[in-house]
Amino acid sequence: MSKRILAIETSCDETAAAIVEDGRRVVSEVVLTSMDIFKEYGGVVPEIASRKHVEFIVPCLIEALKSAGMSFDDLDAVGVTCGPGLVGALLVGVSCAKTIAFAKDIPLIPVNHIEGHICANYLSHEDLKPPFMCLIISGGHSHIVKVESYSKYVLIGRTRDDAAGEVFDKVARFLGLEYPGGPNVERLAKEGKPIYEFPRALKGQKDFDFSFSGLKTAVINKIHNLEQAQEAYNPADVACSFQENVCHVLAENSVRACAYCDLPVLAVAGGVSCNGAIRSKLEKECKKHGIKLFLPEKRWCTDNAAMIGSAAYYNLMDGKTADLSLNAYPSLKIC
Ligand code: KG4
Ligand code: ZN
């Protein structure tokens, strides 16, 4: 019998709810973002994010049910992101999910946010099944994970310092662009040329880790030096050179990881995977190396609840439910 799961996501600055059937079919979804508020702060303010979730969560749930033409009685389970993320923000979703599970006497399913990002691929690609390699590039994480089954993950590589999205946001700030920086850097980079050579961290490495902090410092120093020398320069060239460096490192490590594990299937996940230059570079390199590439639809790359509904279904199938003592786990690991 099919399972309809109500999923809730509140780990950062998006309040989201979705109803997903059998982990693959999105019946309805709502994303209410408070991103605009954070433009003036240049980043997410945790206290404000929590308060916005408190304000948005009930209207968000009601809208998700309404557009599915369902009531709470039609649900088979409730899934919720319990980590990683901002603790106050996570607690809003977790408390809400516990209340629904208790009131309706349905299973409560805890979901790891990163696992959710990986599962966004199942919503876009009916034919995608484990095993596959997954490159996860978000605001808080940069991982290469081997997805062995719907619930078993093996860490192949990770960032040793900053996450890819974090660096996009920081570089954007130094280029005078608004938060969230990623899409703005991408827009600006389209008008530039990759004329600056920035260092490639961990060059010649045998493992699959990333390191972006040296690149971040090099880009910031370049902007300072050009400005101090009062040299005329095009900020679009800086954005383009930076983005090209990130594209190269992400593609190289992913392709090597696929070869190392003898697994020629790569999926990509997380907010940074919206980036057109990164998508094109991965398409080109995967084609060259005989790797089948899966890219999720852009609306499911950034934070949403549909991906949480997919992950929740596979957790439920695996018996991974929680009792009402479930808490928020800000540093939850995927493997
Ligand atoms: O996955 P996500 O929505 O949230 C986290 O779980 O962190 O990712 C947000 C990150 C932000 O750092 C944002 O700047 C970045 O994804 N991002 C992009 C693009 N769109 C969003 N980075 C580069 N290019 C983009 N087009
Ligand atoms: Zn995310």
Side-chain angles (χ1 to χ4, degrees), residues 11 113 117 138 271 301-303 307:
S11 66
H113 181 79
H117 274 301
S138 72
C301 289
T302 47
D303 289 351
M307 66 184 196

Side-chain angles (χ1 to χ4, degrees), residues 5-10 14-31 60 64 79-81 111-113 115-124 296-297 299-314:
I5 299 179
L6 169 68
I8 299 172
E9 155 65 42
T10 63
E14 262 91 32
T15 314
I19 294 164
V20 180
E21 205 171 61
D22 295 338
R24 298 269 179 172
R25 197 175 81 80
V26 182
V27 183
S28 73
E29 68 168 324
V30 180
V31 181
C60 186
V80 63
T81 305
V111 175
N112 181 307
H113 181 79
E115 191 180 351
H117 274 301
I118 296 172
C119 293
N121 281 282
Y122 300 139
L123 303 173
S124 294
E297 280 166 56
R299 65 183 159 141
W300 290 323
C301 289
T302 47
D303 289 351
N304 65 86
M307 66 184 196
I308 304 302
S310 176
Y313 172 78
Y314 292 107

